Each structure stands twice: as C-alpha cells, then as structure tokens.
Amino acid sequence: MKRLLVLTALLAMLLGACAPSAAPATTLRIGVLPILEALPMYVALSQGLFAEEGLQVEFVPAASAAERDQLMQAGQIDGMINDLVSTLLYNQQQVQIVIVRFARVASAQDPAYRILASAGSGITGVDGLRGVPIGVSEGTVIEYVTDRLLEAEGLAPDEIEIVAVPKIPDRLALLDSGELQAATLPDPLASLALQAGAVLIIDDTAHPEYGTSVLSFRKAIVDENPEAVRAFLRALEAATAEVNGDPGKWSTLLTENKLVPAPLVGTYQLPTFPSASVPSEAQYADVLDWAIAGGLITGSAAYTDSVDDSFLP
C-alpha cells in the first residue's frame, strides 16, 4: 500500500509537470496624458475589462505631448492617445504608428476645442479676431483647429494671427490675466476658462469634423500582436458604453487621474465618447493638406497605411 501511494504521488507530480500552464497575459503599455479622452481606458482598467480579455495593461504617465512622444520614440510605450497632426509627423518618412480608433470627437452638443477671448478684450465674435494674436501650440492639432474654424467662419488665412504658447496652463493663465486677448484651448480646460470669465468666440460644435483625437499603436505592435490590439479595443468599447450609459459615476477616476480640473469636478458634464470608429479619408486628407500648406511636412504616409479599422470590434 505504501509503495502504491508513493507511485500515485509520483504520477501526479509527473502529470502536473506535463500539463500546459495558463498562458501569461499579454502586456500593453499605454502612454497617458491627464486628458479627458483617457477616461474610458481608466474605466476599462478599474472594471477589470482588460483582464477579462487576457490583457495586462500598464499606463505610463506623461506630463505633456512632447514627453509622450519621447516615450513612443524610445519604444517605452506601445500605444497612446494622439491626433491626426502628430500622426502625420510620425509617419512622414516611414509608418511608425497606426490609428486604430477615435478617442474623442466633437459633436453638435460636445465641443473638443474652443477659441476664447479674454474677459477684457472687447472681442465678441469671429470678426473681432482679424489680426489679433491667438495663443496656440504651433504645429499641432490646436493650430489646425484654430485655422480651420476661423476659415470656415470667413476669415482669410492672412487675417489669422497666432502666437506660440506651447504649454496649456500658461495659455490659460495668460488668457485669464488678459495678457493674451485670445487663445484656443481643449475642453474641459476651456470650460474652466469660461467659468473664470473668458468669452466664447467659436468652438468645434459648429464644425465637428475638425475636433478629433485618436488612439494609435506602434506599427510593430499591430503587425506582431494584432489579437492584443483587438482585445484592447473590445475592452475599450465595453468601457465606453459604461461611461456613456452612466456619465455621473466616474468622479473618483476623474479626480484621481486629474482628467478634469478640480473646480469643475461634480459640475462638468462629460461628453458622449465615440463608439468604434476611425477618422475618414477626407478628414485625414484635410489635415495633410493643412500641414503641407503650412510647411510643417512635405508629405506623409497614405491614409490606408496610417489608419486601420480592421481591429475594431
């Protein structure tokens, strides 16, 4: 009997050694800025939606777009929230990143970017901005949206003046103090400026095709691990549905991750986040035309190389 027990134990050990172990979760590292677009990703993480898809997702904080881009260029992150302008810059020599989904879009109800005038400027409409320096971050989606919104409202390109104020907090402070007569800001920081007395001139609710942000992955990731990208987007889709279904539920995540300025927490109305979709070819072409006309680039990758909707659930 003793020998039988020993043999049974040995057999169990051998079978255990031969049994396949559970496959380790795929890890994706995502660069995150303290921006509202990141909320569905934080929800997916906090609700265990990534884990349900067999993914381990690590958020790598970045204080600015420049820091985020350094992380991407160094291969320290696999994905990020960015925009069409930065995608063109990445892909002007060779395809480095691929857009797989919208992160945020403007709509007739929800602005993504606003052009504001300072409280004491006396400017109340688009015509008042002719020749007035507008604070922007040059060579970015902020400058693109500024140009396109004002042109759509009748200003000629040579009537649009800009002044470079790269850091958004600096732009907000200068607008508030009146040292800047006008500035373009993303929401919800634009809402904070309005709360402090700034004047809304125009936002992209009037022309929502211009106000977008996107989710992009390194080309190596989409080529070598497409199933991980698909799993990520399935989890993100579920999280987006949760956020849109109960937008008042996420104050803790908004506060902890500084996605909404503290004075707005509890009062700011979340936008409706987009469901599975990507920028259109027309949107991509318009940003490309703007970037070439402005001397930002001489060319970039084709739409079909830079945008891929095949990963969407």
PDB file of all heavy atoms in Angstrom, residues 29-35 37-42 45 50 57-65 67-69 71 77-82 215 232 257 259:
ATOM      1  N   ARG A  29       1.644  48.524 -22.942  1.00  0.00           N
ATOM      2  CA  ARG A  29       1.989  49.741 -22.201  1.00  0.00           C
ATOM      3  C   ARG A  29       1.423  50.938 -22.961  1.00  0.00           C
ATOM      4  O   ARG A  29       1.765  51.149 -24.134  1.00  0.00           O
ATOM      5  CB  ARG A  29       3.501  49.861 -22.067  1.00  0.00           C
ATOM      6  CG  ARG A  29       4.152  48.713 -21.287  1.00  0.00           C
ATOM      7  CD  ARG A  29       5.634  48.640 -21.582  1.00  0.00           C
ATOM      8  NE  ARG A  29       5.865  48.381 -23.003  1.00  0.00           N
ATOM      9  CZ  ARG A  29       7.052  48.491 -23.603  1.00  0.00           C
ATOM     10  NH1 ARG A  29       8.109  48.856 -22.906  1.00  0.00           N
ATOM     11  NH2 ARG A  29       7.179  48.247 -24.897  1.00  0.00           N
ATOM     12  N   ILE A  30       0.590  51.712 -22.288  1.00  0.00           N
ATOM     13  CA  ILE A  30      -0.110  52.827 -22.920  1.00  0.00           C
ATOM     14  C   ILE A  30       0.332  54.139 -22.282  1.00  0.00           C
ATOM     15  O   ILE A  30       0.230  54.315 -21.066  1.00  0.00           O
ATOM     16  CB  ILE A  30      -1.635  52.677 -22.780  1.00  0.00           C
ATOM     17  CG1 ILE A  30      -2.088  51.284 -23.242  1.00  0.00           C
ATOM     18  CG2 ILE A  30      -2.335  53.783 -23.573  1.00  0.00           C
ATOM     19  CD1 ILE A  30      -1.824  50.965 -24.688  1.00  0.00           C
ATOM     20  N   GLY A  31       0.814  55.045 -23.100  1.00  0.00           N
ATOM     21  CA  GLY A  31       1.159  56.373 -22.604  1.00  0.00           C
ATOM     22  C   GLY A  31      -0.092  57.190 -22.365  1.00  0.00           C
ATOM     23  O   GLY A  31      -0.957  57.279 -23.244  1.00  0.00           O
ATOM     24  N   VAL A  32      -0.231  57.758 -21.181  1.00  0.00           N
ATOM     25  CA  VAL A  32      -1.446  58.510 -20.854  1.00  0.00           C
ATOM     26  C   VAL A  32      -1.104  59.925 -20.387  1.00  0.00           C
ATOM     27  O   VAL A  32      -0.240  60.130 -19.541  1.00  0.00           O
ATOM     28  CB  VAL A  32      -2.293  57.798 -19.779  1.00  0.00           C
ATOM     29  CG1 VAL A  32      -2.945  56.554 -20.353  1.00  0.00           C
ATOM     30  CG2 VAL A  32      -1.470  57.448 -18.553  1.00  0.00           C
ATOM     31  N   LEU A  33      -1.789  60.879 -20.968  1.00  0.00           N
ATOM     32  CA  LEU A  33      -1.753  62.264 -20.528  1.00  0.00           C
ATOM     33  C   LEU A  33      -2.947  62.505 -19.596  1.00  0.00           C
ATOM     34  O   LEU A  33      -3.938  61.769 -19.652  1.00  0.00           O
ATOM     35  CB  LEU A  33      -1.856  63.203 -21.728  1.00  0.00           C
ATOM     36  CG  LEU A  33      -0.676  63.227 -22.701  1.00  0.00           C
ATOM     37  CD1 LEU A  33      -1.090  63.871 -24.014  1.00  0.00           C
ATOM     38  CD2 LEU A  33       0.494  63.978 -22.087  1.00  0.00           C
ATOM     39  N   PRO A  34      -2.897  63.540 -18.763  1.00  0.00           N
ATOM     40  CA  PRO A  34      -4.056  63.858 -17.918  1.00  0.00           C
ATOM     41  C   PRO A  34      -5.122  64.583 -18.742  1.00  0.00           C
ATOM     42  O   PRO A  34      -5.358  65.784 -18.589  1.00  0.00           O
ATOM     43  CB  PRO A  34      -3.449  64.757 -16.831  1.00  0.00           C
ATOM     44  CG  PRO A  34      -2.263  65.388 -17.488  1.00  0.00           C
ATOM     45  CD  PRO A  34      -1.724  64.372 -18.451  1.00  0.00           C
ATOM     46  N   ILE A  35      -5.773  63.836 -19.656  1.00  0.00           N
ATOM     47  CA  ILE A  35      -6.782  64.404 -20.544  1.00  0.00           C
ATOM     48  C   ILE A  35      -8.055  63.570 -20.460  1.00  0.00           C
ATOM     49  O   ILE A  35      -8.015  62.376 -20.158  1.00  0.00           O
ATOM     50  CB  ILE A  35      -6.286  64.475 -22.002  1.00  0.00           C
ATOM     51  CG1 ILE A  35      -5.787  63.102 -22.490  1.00  0.00           C
ATOM     52  CG2 ILE A  35      -5.191  65.524 -22.138  1.00  0.00           C
ATOM     53  CD1 ILE A  35      -5.355  63.065 -23.940  1.00  0.00           C
ATOM     54  N   GLU A  37      -9.977  62.303 -22.634  1.00  0.00           N
ATOM     55  CA  GLU A  37     -10.068  61.160 -23.536  1.00  0.00           C
ATOM     56  C   GLU A  37      -9.630  59.847 -22.896  1.00  0.00           C
ATOM     57  O   GLU A  37     -10.012  58.760 -23.352  1.00  0.00           O
ATOM     58  CB  GLU A  37      -9.203  61.379 -24.785  1.00  0.00           C
ATOM     59  CG  GLU A  37      -9.725  62.396 -25.755  1.00  0.00           C
ATOM     60  CD  GLU A  37      -9.180  63.782 -25.501  1.00  0.00           C
ATOM     61  OE1 GLU A  37      -9.062  64.176 -24.317  1.00  0.00           O
ATOM     62  OE2 GLU A  37      -8.875  64.481 -26.474  1.00  0.00           O
ATOM     63  N   ALA A  38      -8.811  59.935 -21.856  1.00  0.00           N
ATOM     64  CA  ALA A  38      -8.287  58.730 -21.217  1.00  0.00           C
ATOM     65  C   ALA A  38      -9.300  58.052 -20.299  1.00  0.00           C
ATOM     66  O   ALA A  38      -9.072  56.916 -19.874  1.00  0.00           O
ATOM     67  CB  ALA A  38      -7.020  59.064 -20.424  1.00  0.00           C
ATOM     68  N   LEU A  39     -10.415  58.714 -20.000  1.00  0.00           N
ATOM     69  CA  LEU A  39     -11.361  58.151 -19.024  1.00  0.00           C
ATOM     70  C   LEU A  39     -11.825  56.736 -19.377  1.00  0.00           C
ATOM     71  O   LEU A  39     -11.802  55.858 -18.493  1.00  0.00           O
ATOM     72  CB  LEU A  39     -12.563  59.078 -18.846  1.00  0.00           C
ATOM     73  CG  LEU A  39     -13.653  58.549 -17.906  1.00  0.00           C
ATOM     74  CD1 LEU A  39     -13.109  58.328 -16.500  1.00  0.00           C
ATOM     75  CD2 LEU A  39     -14.857  59.493 -17.878  1.00  0.00           C
ATOM     76  N   PRO A  40     -12.276  56.444 -20.601  1.00  0.00           N
ATOM     77  CA  PRO A  40     -12.705  55.067 -20.880  1.00  0.00           C
ATOM     78  C   PRO A  40     -11.606  54.024 -20.638  1.00  0.00           C
ATOM     79  O   PRO A  40     -11.907  52.894 -20.222  1.00  0.00           O
ATOM     80  CB  PRO A  40     -13.113  55.121 -22.356  1.00  0.00           C
ATOM     81  CG  PRO A  40     -13.544  56.539 -22.563  1.00  0.00           C
ATOM     82  CD  PRO A  40     -12.574  57.341 -21.738  1.00  0.00           C
ATOM     83  N   MET A  41     -10.350  54.384 -20.844  1.00  0.00           N
ATOM     84  CA  MET A  41      -9.270  53.435 -20.573  1.00  0.00           C
ATOM     85  C   MET A  41      -9.138  53.183 -19.075  1.00  0.00           C
ATOM     86  O   MET A  41      -8.931  52.038 -18.648  1.00  0.00           O
ATOM     87  CB  MET A  41      -7.942  53.947 -21.156  1.00  0.00           C
ATOM     88  CG  MET A  41      -7.923  54.011 -22.672  1.00  0.00           C
ATOM     89  SD  MET A  41      -6.260  54.097 -23.386  1.00  0.00           S
ATOM     90  CE  MET A  41      -5.622  55.577 -22.630  1.00  0.00           C
ATOM     91  N   TYR A  42      -9.245  54.245 -18.277  1.00  0.00           N
ATOM     92  CA  TYR A  42      -9.185  54.059 -16.828  1.00  0.00           C
ATOM     93  C   TYR A  42     -10.367  53.228 -16.335  1.00  0.00           C
ATOM     94  O   TYR A  42     -10.226  52.418 -15.414  1.00  0.00           O
ATOM     95  CB  TYR A  42      -9.156  55.412 -16.119  1.00  0.00           C
ATOM     96  CG  TYR A  42      -7.804  56.086 -16.126  1.00  0.00           C
ATOM     97  CD1 TYR A  42      -7.564  57.211 -16.909  1.00  0.00           C
ATOM     98  CD2 TYR A  42      -6.758  55.594 -15.353  1.00  0.00           C
ATOM     99  CE1 TYR A  42      -6.316  57.836 -16.922  1.00  0.00           C
ATOM    100  CE2 TYR A  42      -5.512  56.209 -15.357  1.00  0.00           C
ATOM    101  CZ  TYR A  42      -5.305  57.324 -16.142  1.00  0.00           C
ATOM    102  OH  TYR A  42      -4.072  57.922 -16.151  1.00  0.00           O
ATOM    103  N   LEU A  45      -9.706  49.586 -17.069  1.00  0.00           N
ATOM    104  CA  LEU A  45      -8.755  49.015 -16.114  1.00  0.00           C
ATOM    105  C   LEU A  45      -9.418  48.776 -14.764  1.00  0.00           C
ATOM    106  O   LEU A  45      -9.316  47.683 -14.195  1.00  0.00           O
ATOM    107  CB  LEU A  45      -7.552  49.940 -15.966  1.00  0.00           C
ATOM    108  CG  LEU A  45      -6.404  49.417 -15.099  1.00  0.00           C
ATOM    109  CD1 LEU A  45      -5.732  48.216 -15.751  1.00  0.00           C
ATOM    110  CD2 LEU A  45      -5.366  50.520 -14.857  1.00  0.00           C
ATOM    111  N   PHE A  50      -9.977  44.831 -19.200  1.00  0.00           N
ATOM    112  CA  PHE A  50      -8.763  44.382 -19.887  1.00  0.00           C
ATOM    113  C   PHE A  50      -8.404  42.962 -19.447  1.00  0.00           C
ATOM    114  O   PHE A  50      -8.048  42.108 -20.266  1.00  0.00           O
ATOM    115  CB  PHE A  50      -7.596  45.327 -19.621  1.00  0.00           C
ATOM    116  CG  PHE A  50      -7.715  46.676 -20.268  1.00  0.00           C
ATOM    117  CD1 PHE A  50      -7.478  47.840 -19.539  1.00  0.00           C
ATOM    118  CD2 PHE A  50      -8.053  46.803 -21.606  1.00  0.00           C
ATOM    119  CE1 PHE A  50      -7.580  49.091 -20.123  1.00  0.00           C
ATOM    120  CE2 PHE A  50      -8.152  48.058 -22.210  1.00  0.00           C
ATOM    121  CZ  PHE A  50      -7.918  49.198 -21.464  1.00  0.00           C
ATOM    122  N   VAL A  57      -2.629  45.610 -18.856  1.00  0.00           N
ATOM    123  CA  VAL A  57      -2.401  46.945 -19.398  1.00  0.00           C
ATOM    124  C   VAL A  57      -1.721  47.806 -18.345  1.00  0.00           C
ATOM    125  O   VAL A  57      -2.181  47.896 -17.210  1.00  0.00           O
ATOM    126  CB  VAL A  57      -3.722  47.586 -19.850  1.00  0.00           C
ATOM    127  CG1 VAL A  57      -3.501  49.037 -20.279  1.00  0.00           C
ATOM    128  CG2 VAL A  57      -4.327  46.783 -21.001  1.00  0.00           C
ATOM    129  N   GLU A  58      -0.616  48.405 -18.741  1.00  0.00           N
ATOM    130  CA  GLU A  58       0.123  49.299 -17.856  1.00  0.00           C
ATOM    131  C   GLU A  58       0.039  50.710 -18.422  1.00  0.00           C
ATOM    132  O   GLU A  58       0.343  50.941 -19.591  1.00  0.00           O
ATOM    133  CB  GLU A  58       1.598  48.873 -17.759  1.00  0.00           C
ATOM    134  CG  GLU A  58       1.805  47.498 -17.152  1.00  0.00           C
ATOM    135  CD  GLU A  58       3.271  47.082 -17.141  1.00  0.00           C
ATOM    136  OE1 GLU A  58       4.124  47.899 -17.602  1.00  0.00           O
ATOM    137  OE2 GLU A  58       3.567  45.964 -16.706  1.00  0.00           O
ATOM    138  N   PHE A  59      -0.395  51.652 -17.594  1.00  0.00           N
ATOM    139  CA  PHE A  59      -0.425  53.049 -18.002  1.00  0.00           C
ATOM    140  C   PHE A  59       0.902  53.709 -17.625  1.00  0.00           C
ATOM    141  O   PHE A  59       1.355  53.605 -16.490  1.00  0.00           O
ATOM    142  CB  PHE A  59      -1.582  53.784 -17.333  1.00  0.00           C
ATOM    143  CG  PHE A  59      -2.937  53.349 -17.830  1.00  0.00           C
ATOM    144  CD1 PHE A  59      -4.047  53.475 -17.020  1.00  0.00           C
ATOM    145  CD2 PHE A  59      -3.096  52.823 -19.094  1.00  0.00           C
ATOM    146  CE1 PHE A  59      -5.297  53.093 -17.467  1.00  0.00           C
ATOM    147  CE2 PHE A  59      -4.338  52.430 -19.559  1.00  0.00           C
ATOM    148  CZ  PHE A  59      -5.447  52.562 -18.741  1.00  0.00           C
ATOM    149  N   VAL A  60       1.493  54.390 -18.598  1.00  0.00           N
ATOM    150  CA  VAL A  60       2.751  55.106 -18.380  1.00  0.00           C
ATOM    151  C   VAL A  60       2.430  56.597 -18.438  1.00  0.00           C
ATOM    152  O   VAL A  60       2.139  57.130 -19.510  1.00  0.00           O
ATOM    153  CB  VAL A  60       3.793  54.740 -19.448  1.00  0.00           C
ATOM    154  CG1 VAL A  60       5.107  55.470 -19.186  1.00  0.00           C
ATOM    155  CG2 VAL A  60       4.008  53.232 -19.497  1.00  0.00           C
ATOM    156  N   PRO A  61       2.444  57.291 -17.304  1.00  0.00           N
ATOM    157  CA  PRO A  61       2.050  58.701 -17.295  1.00  0.00           C
ATOM    158  C   PRO A  61       3.024  59.575 -18.079  1.00  0.00           C
ATOM    159  O   PRO A  61       4.242  59.356 -18.069  1.00  0.00           O
ATOM    160  CB  PRO A  61       2.080  59.071 -15.808  1.00  0.00           C
ATOM    161  CG  PRO A  61       2.079  57.774 -15.072  1.00  0.00           C
ATOM    162  CD  PRO A  61       2.779  56.800 -15.961  1.00  0.00           C
ATOM    163  N   ALA A  62       2.481  60.579 -18.751  1.00  0.00           N
ATOM    164  CA  ALA A  62       3.283  61.586 -19.447  1.00  0.00           C
ATOM    165  C   ALA A  62       2.683  62.943 -19.119  1.00  0.00           C
ATOM    166  O   ALA A  62       1.457  63.119 -19.157  1.00  0.00           O
ATOM    167  CB  ALA A  62       3.287  61.350 -20.947  1.00  0.00           C
ATOM    168  N   ALA A  63       3.540  63.903 -18.793  1.00  0.00           N
ATOM    169  CA  ALA A  63       3.051  65.218 -18.384  1.00  0.00           C
ATOM    170  C   ALA A  63       2.687  66.095 -19.568  1.00  0.00           C
ATOM    171  O   ALA A  63       1.945  67.063 -19.425  1.00  0.00           O
ATOM    172  CB  ALA A  63       4.099  65.922 -17.527  1.00  0.00           C
ATOM    173  N   SER A  64       3.212  65.763 -20.753  1.00  0.00           N
ATOM    174  CA  SER A  64       2.975  66.584 -21.937  1.00  0.00           C
ATOM    175  C   SER A  64       3.019  65.706 -23.175  1.00  0.00           C
ATOM    176  O   SER A  64       3.499  64.565 -23.140  1.00  0.00           O
ATOM    177  CB  SER A  64       4.050  67.672 -22.053  1.00  0.00           C
ATOM    178  OG  SER A  64       5.321  67.071 -22.290  1.00  0.00           O
ATOM    179  N   ALA A  65       2.532  66.260 -24.290  1.00  0.00           N
ATOM    180  CA  ALA A  65       2.593  65.523 -25.552  1.00  0.00           C
ATOM    181  C   ALA A  65       4.037  65.257 -25.957  1.00  0.00           C
ATOM    182  O   ALA A  65       4.359  64.194 -26.507  1.00  0.00           O
ATOM    183  CB  ALA A  65       1.870  66.310 -26.642  1.00  0.00           C
ATOM    184  N   GLU A  67       6.582  64.738 -23.951  1.00  0.00           N
ATOM    185  CA  GLU A  67       7.076  63.609 -23.151  1.00  0.00           C
ATOM    186  C   GLU A  67       6.480  62.294 -23.644  1.00  0.00           C
ATOM    187  O   GLU A  67       7.175  61.282 -23.727  1.00  0.00           O
ATOM    188  CB  GLU A  67       6.720  63.830 -21.680  1.00  0.00           C
ATOM    189  CG  GLU A  67       7.273  62.754 -20.750  1.00  0.00           C
ATOM    190  CD  GLU A  67       6.932  63.008 -19.303  1.00  0.00           C
ATOM    191  OE1 GLU A  67       6.688  64.184 -18.935  1.00  0.00           O
ATOM    192  OE2 GLU A  67       6.893  62.030 -18.523  1.00  0.00           O
ATOM    193  N   ARG A  68       5.201  62.311 -23.986  1.00  0.00           N
ATOM    194  CA  ARG A  68       4.557  61.116 -24.556  1.00  0.00           C
ATOM    195  C   ARG A  68       5.268  60.667 -25.826  1.00  0.00           C
ATOM    196  O   ARG A  68       5.532  59.479 -26.036  1.00  0.00           O
ATOM    197  CB  ARG A  68       3.098  61.429 -24.857  1.00  0.00           C
ATOM    198  CG  ARG A  68       2.319  60.341 -25.563  1.00  0.00           C
ATOM    199  CD  ARG A  68       1.162  60.934 -26.343  1.00  0.00           C
ATOM    200  NE  ARG A  68       1.621  61.801 -27.413  1.00  0.00           N
ATOM    201  CZ  ARG A  68       0.858  62.690 -28.038  1.00  0.00           C
ATOM    202  NH1 ARG A  68      -0.400  62.857 -27.671  1.00  0.00           N
ATOM    203  NH2 ARG A  68       1.350  63.436 -29.021  1.00  0.00           N
ATOM    204  N   ASP A  69       5.600  61.622 -26.683  1.00  0.00           N
ATOM    205  CA  ASP A  69       6.263  61.284 -27.946  1.00  0.00           C
ATOM    206  C   ASP A  69       7.661  60.728 -27.708  1.00  0.00           C
ATOM    207  O   ASP A  69       8.118  59.838 -28.429  1.00  0.00           O
ATOM    208  CB  ASP A  69       6.323  62.509 -28.854  1.00  0.00           C
ATOM    209  CG  ASP A  69       4.946  62.900 -29.379  1.00  0.00           C
ATOM    210  OD1 ASP A  69       4.038  62.044 -29.368  1.00  0.00           O
ATOM    211  OD2 ASP A  69       4.780  64.061 -29.801  1.00  0.00           O
ATOM    212  N   LEU A  71       8.512  58.931 -25.141  1.00  0.00           N
ATOM    213  CA  LEU A  71       8.291  57.548 -24.710  1.00  0.00           C
ATOM    214  C   LEU A  71       8.010  56.642 -25.904  1.00  0.00           C
ATOM    215  O   LEU A  71       8.515  55.512 -25.984  1.00  0.00           O
ATOM    216  CB  LEU A  71       7.117  57.496 -23.726  1.00  0.00           C
ATOM    217  CG  LEU A  71       7.329  58.141 -22.358  1.00  0.00           C
ATOM    218  CD1 LEU A  71       6.006  58.265 -21.614  1.00  0.00           C
ATOM    219  CD2 LEU A  71       8.321  57.318 -21.535  1.00  0.00           C
ATOM    220  N   ILE A  77       6.525  52.760 -24.787  1.00  0.00           N
ATOM    221  CA  ILE A  77       5.081  52.548 -24.760  1.00  0.00           C
ATOM    222  C   ILE A  77       4.666  51.915 -26.086  1.00  0.00           C
ATOM    223  O   ILE A  77       5.366  52.041 -27.102  1.00  0.00           O
ATOM    224  CB  ILE A  77       4.287  53.852 -24.522  1.00  0.00           C
ATOM    225  CG1 ILE A  77       4.627  54.910 -25.580  1.00  0.00           C
ATOM    226  CG2 ILE A  77       4.534  54.371 -23.124  1.00  0.00           C
ATOM    227  CD1 ILE A  77       3.783  56.179 -25.474  1.00  0.00           C
ATOM    228  N   ASP A  78       3.533  51.226 -26.056  1.00  0.00           N
ATOM    229  CA  ASP A  78       3.020  50.546 -27.249  1.00  0.00           C
ATOM    230  C   ASP A  78       1.886  51.313 -27.912  1.00  0.00           C
ATOM    231  O   ASP A  78       1.652  51.147 -29.116  1.00  0.00           O
ATOM    232  CB  ASP A  78       2.505  49.148 -26.865  1.00  0.00           C
ATOM    233  CG  ASP A  78       3.576  48.298 -26.211  1.00  0.00           C
ATOM    234  OD1 ASP A  78       4.696  48.245 -26.744  1.00  0.00           O
ATOM    235  OD2 ASP A  78       3.295  47.695 -25.148  1.00  0.00           O
ATOM    236  N   GLY A  79       1.180  52.109 -27.131  1.00  0.00           N
ATOM    237  CA  GLY A  79       0.048  52.847 -27.662  1.00  0.00           C
ATOM    238  C   GLY A  79      -0.112  54.177 -26.963  1.00  0.00           C
ATOM    239  O   GLY A  79       0.517  54.420 -25.923  1.00  0.00           O
ATOM    240  N   MET A  80      -0.965  55.044 -27.522  1.00  0.00           N
ATOM    241  CA  MET A  80      -1.153  56.382 -26.947  1.00  0.00           C
ATOM    242  C   MET A  80      -2.378  57.029 -27.553  1.00  0.00           C
ATOM    243  O   MET A  80      -2.852  56.641 -28.624  1.00  0.00           O
ATOM    244  CB  MET A  80       0.071  57.265 -27.229  1.00  0.00           C
ATOM    245  CG  MET A  80       0.328  57.498 -28.715  1.00  0.00           C
ATOM    246  SD  MET A  80       1.794  58.527 -29.013  1.00  0.00           S
ATOM    247  CE  MET A  80       1.841  58.513 -30.825  1.00  0.00           C
ATOM    248  N   ILE A  81      -2.894  58.045 -26.866  1.00  0.00           N
ATOM    249  CA  ILE A  81      -3.892  58.938 -27.431  1.00  0.00           C
ATOM    250  C   ILE A  81      -3.136  60.103 -28.055  1.00  0.00           C
ATOM    251  O   ILE A  81      -2.318  60.746 -27.398  1.00  0.00           O
ATOM    252  CB  ILE A  81      -4.867  59.428 -26.355  1.00  0.00           C
ATOM    253  CG1 ILE A  81      -5.722  58.266 -25.829  1.00  0.00           C
ATOM    254  CG2 ILE A  81      -5.774  60.526 -26.918  1.00  0.00           C
ATOM    255  CD1 ILE A  81      -6.576  58.624 -24.629  1.00  0.00           C
ATOM    256  N   ASN A  82      -3.409  60.355 -29.327  1.00  0.00           N
ATOM    257  CA  ASN A  82      -2.761  61.473 -30.008  1.00  0.00           C
ATOM    258  C   ASN A  82      -3.762  62.085 -30.981  1.00  0.00           C
ATOM    259  O   ASN A  82      -4.946  62.135 -30.678  1.00  0.00           O
ATOM    260  CB  ASN A  82      -1.461  61.038 -30.680  1.00  0.00           C
ATOM    261  CG  ASN A  82      -1.648  60.046 -31.808  1.00  0.00           C
ATOM    262  OD1 ASN A  82      -2.344  59.041 -31.673  1.00  0.00           O
ATOM    263  ND2 ASN A  82      -1.034  60.302 -32.953  1.00  0.00           N
ATOM    264  N   LEU A 215      -6.649  57.008 -31.013  1.00  0.00           N
ATOM    265  CA  LEU A 215      -5.827  56.028 -30.314  1.00  0.00           C
ATOM    266  C   LEU A 215      -4.931  55.350 -31.342  1.00  0.00           C
ATOM    267  O   LEU A 215      -5.415  54.836 -32.354  1.00  0.00           O
ATOM    268  CB  LEU A 215      -6.704  54.985 -29.625  1.00  0.00           C
ATOM    269  CG  LEU A 215      -5.990  53.817 -28.943  1.00  0.00           C
ATOM    270  CD1 LEU A 215      -5.126  54.300 -27.779  1.00  0.00           C
ATOM    271  CD2 LEU A 215      -7.000  52.779 -28.460  1.00  0.00           C
ATOM    272  N   PHE A 232      -7.766  44.770 -26.752  1.00  0.00           N
ATOM    273  CA  PHE A 232      -7.764  46.091 -26.112  1.00  0.00           C
ATOM    274  C   PHE A 232      -8.990  46.884 -26.547  1.00  0.00           C
ATOM    275  O   PHE A 232      -9.676  47.501 -25.718  1.00  0.00           O
ATOM    276  CB  PHE A 232      -6.484  46.843 -26.479  1.00  0.00           C
ATOM    277  CG  PHE A 232      -6.311  48.160 -25.767  1.00  0.00           C
ATOM    278  CD1 PHE A 232      -5.557  48.250 -24.606  1.00  0.00           C
ATOM    279  CD2 PHE A 232      -6.902  49.316 -26.260  1.00  0.00           C
ATOM    280  CE1 PHE A 232      -5.407  49.466 -23.941  1.00  0.00           C
ATOM    281  CE2 PHE A 232      -6.760  50.531 -25.606  1.00  0.00           C
ATOM    282  CZ  PHE A 232      -6.006  50.602 -24.448  1.00  0.00           C
ATOM    283  N   ASN A 257      -7.122  60.891 -11.379  1.00  0.00           N
ATOM    284  CA  ASN A 257      -6.221  60.947 -12.534  1.00  0.00           C
ATOM    285  C   ASN A 257      -6.140  62.328 -13.173  1.00  0.00           C
ATOM    286  O   ASN A 257      -5.528  62.490 -14.228  1.00  0.00           O
ATOM    287  CB  ASN A 257      -6.662  59.904 -13.568  1.00  0.00           C
ATOM    288  CG  ASN A 257      -6.584  58.500 -13.005  1.00  0.00           C
ATOM    289  OD1 ASN A 257      -5.510  57.984 -12.760  1.00  0.00           O
ATOM    290  ND2 ASN A 257      -7.748  57.886 -12.778  1.00  0.00           N
ATOM    291  N   LEU A 259      -8.210  64.264 -14.713  1.00  0.00           N
ATOM    292  CA  LEU A 259      -8.725  64.359 -16.076  1.00  0.00           C
ATOM    293  C   LEU A 259      -9.635  65.566 -16.264  1.00  0.00           C
ATOM    294  O   LEU A 259      -9.893  65.985 -17.388  1.00  0.00           O
ATOM    295  CB  LEU A 259      -9.483  63.074 -16.439  1.00  0.00           C
ATOM    296  CG  LEU A 259      -8.714  61.758 -16.255  1.00  0.00           C
ATOM    297  CD1 LEU A 259      -9.554  60.589 -16.739  1.00  0.00           C
ATOM    298  CD2 LEU A 259      -7.375  61.798 -16.983  1.00  0.00           C
TER     299      LEU A 259
END
